[in-house]
Amino acid sequence: MNGSTVSTILRALLRWWWLVVVAITLSVGIGYFVRTEQDDIYAARATVLVGQDARTVANDAFRANRDLLTAYSVYVRRQTILEPIIDDLSLGIEPDQLNEMMDVQVNNDASLLEILIFDTDAERAALIANRVAQELVNQSASGGGAGVAD
């Protein structure tokens, strides 16, 4: 950039400084208004230990553990798991709505299934997350294949 280009840009900025200020002020104001109108979203996490710790098992058992974790990550979203939770906590929502509030993450290395619940009420999110984990344990095929870690 030569001197004339820089001076041309500076002259334009000095001439239109008010437009830059108005644009920034308008952007900040709109952003603040939009954010204050939104509800806060809270996340609660319940962790379930499935099978054995993957670090202590052989290769074949590790694959079986991984498959079991994958199966539980699908199973936890089924209506047979979610409907008793909705009824027990009197949530007044459909299983599909509870599924939308939930994220399930699999940690194959530690044989953990993490259930995250997102809600506008922090206490309700924690209740739901813990209840989902407990229902998964209650309905597990062997009764001892999964245990609540925290």
Side-chain angles (χ1 to χ4, degrees):
M1 250 190 218
N2 60 25
S4 65
T5 305
V6 172
S7 63
T8 304
I9 293 172
L10 284 175
R11 270 195 311 271
L13 284 175
L14 289 174
R15 182 173 181 203
W16 295 98
W17 68 269
W18 61 271
L19 186 58
V20 173
V21 170
V22 167
I24 291 172
T25 304
L26 196 59
S27 299
V28 169
I30 290 172
Y32 176 78
F33 177 75
V34 168
R35 173 59 189 109
T36 57
E37 293 299 311
Q38 293 177 339
D39 291 330
D40 290 331
I41 303 293
Y42 299 94
R45 176 188 323 254
T47 304
V48 180
L49 176 64
V50 178
Q52 301 174 19
D53 187 347
R55 296 171 291 196
T56 64
V57 296
N59 255 353
D60 291 339
F62 176 76
R63 278 192 289 279
N65 248 10
R66 187 183 62 217
D67 293 345
L68 187 61
L69 273 166
T70 302
Y72 274 117
S73 71
V74 173
Y75 184 63
V76 75
R77 292 185 172 275
R78 298 195 57 164
Q79 281 191 349
T80 56
I81 295 284
L82 301 180
E83 284 177 346
I85 297 162
I86 293 168
D87 294 340
D88 186 41
L89 298 177
S90 302
L91 297 177
I93 60 175
E94 295 296 318
D96 290 341
Q97 292 170 299
L98 182 51
N99 250 327
E100 289 175 13
M101 296 167 60
M102 182 170 39
D103 184 30
V104 180
Q105 298 174 353
V106 174
N107 182 336
N108 285 318
D109 295 334
S111 297
L112 297 175
L113 187 69
E114 294 182 349
I115 301 160
L116 288 98
I117 300 292
F118 300 96
D119 195 8
T120 55
D121 182 341
E123 190 173 314
R124 185 170 103 152
L127 282 172
I128 295 170
N130 289 329
R131 187 64 181 85
V132 170
Q134 189 60 52
E135 192 64 29
L136 181 64
V137 171
N138 292 346
Q139 292 192 24
S140 66
S142 66
V148 177
D150 63 5

